[in-house]
Amino acid sequence: MKIAISGKGGVGKTTFASFLIKALSERGLKVLAIDADPDANLAQALGIGKDKEITPISKMKELIEERTETKLGTMGGFFKLNPKVDDLPEKLSIRVDNIKLMVLGGVKKGGAGCICPESTLLKNLLRHVVLARNETVVVDMEAGLEHLSRGTASGVDKMVIVVEPGTRSIETAYQIRSMANDLGIRNILVVGNKVRNINDEEFISSKMKDFEILGFIPMSSGILDADLEGEPPFEKDKGSLKIVRDMIDKILT
């Protein structure tokens, strides 16, 4: 099962991804967690690598030059569009129990559609992970619509869109679904996050009647405390972890 987590920036996408990865690993599944958001925070949310700096793959200059057969920083050079990536998940992931984490990082130059060695390697790696890996994969995607406009989410089995009670968040969800459908992604689920009360739940449900809603995660001081203390949110908010555990069967079927 290959699952992409998407949503508007600030809705709690990475927090939900960490709960989901934790819940899947508790089921005994081996999970490959991919942080594909340039603003990489999934490692902290999983409590991985707290004692060391994690270098995103997009910043591994020697690796990128070796695999794409080019020299970074040169103008007008040629590079391989199909670099070898199948060995990278084992070489570059950080393992904790049943979870392996890869941090892709982002390419912050050349515009959204830039074709450069860094972005080429990342896209090929993500495509390999989604299409060829025989394990449970959870991809914390870039916030917003960028990943869909570039097609990097194509091939996933399911997409979970995280929304919060608010019109802009829900409008973004509709845009994400439309672009996901263009990529052939049909299995789309919704999780309502930062819900304060039944009115918030009813607001989301009324605005998203034609979506399949997995459930709602309440606004939590535990999650805020976890962020302040640099701890995984599932360590501070066991209630929300239980809610996500109860979603697993629907996600995996």
Side-chain angles (χ1 to χ4, degrees):
M1 177 66 70
K2 313 297 167 55
I3 306 161
I5 312 299
S6 186
K8 180 182 173 294
V11 297
K13 175 179 59 65
T14 297
T15 297
F16 172 76
S18 71
F19 280 121
L20 177 60
I21 292 163
K22 177 66 173 178
L24 290 168
S25 70
E26 289 179 341
R27 286 276 187 104
L29 296 171
K30 294 181 179 179
V31 184
L32 177 57
I34 307 293
D35 192 342
D37 192 334
D39 186 20
N41 292 304
L42 186 57
Q44 178 182 325
L46 291 171
I48 294 177
K50 289 192 291 184
D51 56 341
K52 63 178 180 179
E53 186 82 14
I54 299 176
T55 302
I57 295 171
S58 63
K59 297 185 181 299
M60 295 181 180
K61 180 179 178 181
E62 292 182 2
L63 172 74
I64 295 168
E65 290 181 342
E66 173 203 335
R67 297 305 172 98
T68 61
E69 298 180 4
T70 191
K71 186 71 174 175
L72 297 182
T74 59
M75 298 295 293
F78 294 96
F79 58 89
K80 291 184 70 172
L81 293 175
N82 59 339
K84 176 179 171 61
V85 295
D86 60 325
D87 60 326
L88 296 184
E90 302 302 331
K91 288 183 176 180
L92 301 180
S93 60
I94 302 169
R95 184 189 299 268
V96 176
D97 299 324
N98 285 344
I99 300 170
K100 290 188 297 185
L101 170 69
M102 292 180 60
V103 179
L104 301 189
V107 181
K108 299 181 180 179
K109 65 177 184 179
C114 84
I115 301 176
C116 57
E118 299 96 321
S119 65
T120 297
L121 182 72
L122 295 184
K123 289 178 184 178
N124 277 273
L125 178 55
L126 188 55
R127 188 179 300 116
H128 165 75
V129 165
V130 169
L131 297 178
R133 300 287 295 188
N134 186 25
E135 57 198 319
T136 303
V137 176
V138 177
V139 186
D140 183 17
M141 301 300 301
E142 184 174 354
L145 306 171
E146 193 71 25
H147 56 286
L148 291 163
S149 67
R150 295 183 304 203
T152 50
S154 60
V156 299
D157 299 304
K158 292 192 176 180
M159 176 173 285
V160 179
I161 305 174
V162 181
V163 301
E164 63 184 1
T167 301
R168 287 179 294 175
S169 168
I170 291 171
E171 287 176 350
T172 299
Y174 273 92
Q175 292 177 287
I176 289 173
R177 183 175 68 172
S178 176
M179 297 178 75
N181 286 337
D182 290 342
L183 294 173
I185 302 170
R186 299 286 183 260
N187 279 315
I188 298 176
L189 307 168
V190 167
V191 169
N193 192 34
K194 301 183 182 180
V195 172
R196 298 166 298 177
N197 49 45
I198 189 64
N199 291 333
D200 283 349
E201 292 186 17
E202 291 176 352
F203 175 81
I204 293 172
S205 297
S206 67
K207 298 293 184 180
M208 308 188 78
K209 292 179 180 178
D210 55 343
F211 284 84
E212 181 177 354
I213 299 177
L214 282 172
F216 300 95
I217 299 174
M219 180 77 79
S220 167
S221 60
I223 291 176
L224 297 175
D225 290 341
D227 188 36
L228 289 172
E229 298 171 21
E231 296 292 330
F234 48 75
E235 296 291 349
K236 295 287 186 178
D237 188 352
K238 303 295 185 182
S240 293
L241 178 59
K242 183 182 183 303
I243 291 172
V244 177
R245 285 193 193 112
D246 293 339
M247 297 177 183
I248 294 297
D249 288 334
K250 287 184 179 180
I251 293 174
L252 294 180
T253 55

